[in-house]
Amino acid sequence: MNIFKKILSSFTSSRQNNDQEESKYLPEKEIPVDEQFTHNFKVNGGKFLYCENEEELEENFISILQENDWFEVEALTFEKDLQHYLIENKLSFKNPSNPMFLLTNCEGLIAQDGSILFSSKQLLHYKANDLPKNIVVIAKASQITRSKSDGLRNIKMRYANEIPTNITTMQHFKDSSTTDDFLQYGIQTKNFYLMLLEDF
């Protein structure tokens, strides 16, 4: 009986070794872009809210306001099509002196590093450090791209002859003061909420 066990165990272990050797030479399975983006965005410290429809998006926006006690505060947006979210929740946004958060769309979501791509269409001429610490982004699932070059290509196609300026990415969503990463020196971290609307 022991002989059969030894023969079978040596056969299965040699087969497993062969499988491992074969898999070394096969290309790695590519993670779907939406999963890759979600994972990297959360690793960066972002807060992710998936929305199946507009109604769920509005509910999630109210939840963000409740969580942070942002009722009856000043907010900021540079996009007319987002103003109704602020008006419905009685938030002041015209010429704010001290806005608690920025409500904005974006140009794209980069799966490779979990960053968010913006342009002057959303941020005008402002740099990241000039914006409020809290940022609420509304994006669509179709805006997820594998890499920054894909995101830039989409901007070029979307705007054709009128390519916007101030194209930038943001990906520092948690405090990095405890790390010695010199690449983050001088970059103000942001408290990021992303409401991702399903549009496929």
Side-chain angles (χ1 to χ4, degrees), residues 77-83 103-106 121-123:
T77 188
F78 302 116
E79 299 168 85
K80 285 186 177 178
D81 62 326
L82 298 181
Q83 290 178 358
L103 178 63
T104 184
N105 288 312
C106 67
K121 297 286 184 183
Q122 295 86 38
L123 307 180

Side-chain angles (χ1 to χ4, degrees), residues 3 24 71 78 81 126 128 139 143:
I3 296 171
K24 276 194 294 189
F71 292 102
F78 302 116
D81 62 326
Y126 294 96
Q143 289 181 285

Side-chain angles (χ1 to χ4, degrees), residues 65-83:
L65 297 179
Q66 288 171 338
E67 180 184 321
N68 294 284
D69 194 21
W70 284 343
F71 292 102
E72 298 179 20
V73 299
E74 290 184 320
L76 181 65
T77 188
F78 302 116
E79 299 168 85
K80 285 186 177 178
D81 62 326
L82 298 181
Q83 290 178 358

Side-chain angles (χ1 to χ4, degrees), residues 28-93:
E28 288 184 26
K29 289 183 180 176
E30 207 167 43
I31 301 167
V33 287
D34 53 348
E35 286 179 33
Q36 187 182 14
F37 171 77
T38 305
H39 172 76
N40 289 335
F41 179 75
K42 286 181 178 178
V43 166
N44 289 346
K47 295 169 183 131
F48 179 84
L49 296 156
Y50 175 78
C51 311
E52 282 189 5
N53 51 49
E54 284 282 346
E55 187 179 306
E56 204 169 294
L57 191 145
E58 289 178 18
E59 287 171 10
N60 282 330
F61 182 62
I62 291 169
S63 296
I64 293 169
L65 297 179
Q66 288 171 338
E67 180 184 321
N68 294 284
D69 194 21
W70 284 343
F71 292 102
E72 298 179 20
V73 299
E74 290 184 320
L76 181 65
T77 188
F78 302 116
E79 299 168 85
K80 285 186 177 178
D81 62 326
L82 298 181
Q83 290 178 358
H84 69 95
Y85 292 106
L86 304 176
I87 293 166
E88 287 165 11
N89 292 288
K90 299 181 173 70
L91 296 167
S92 173
F93 62 91

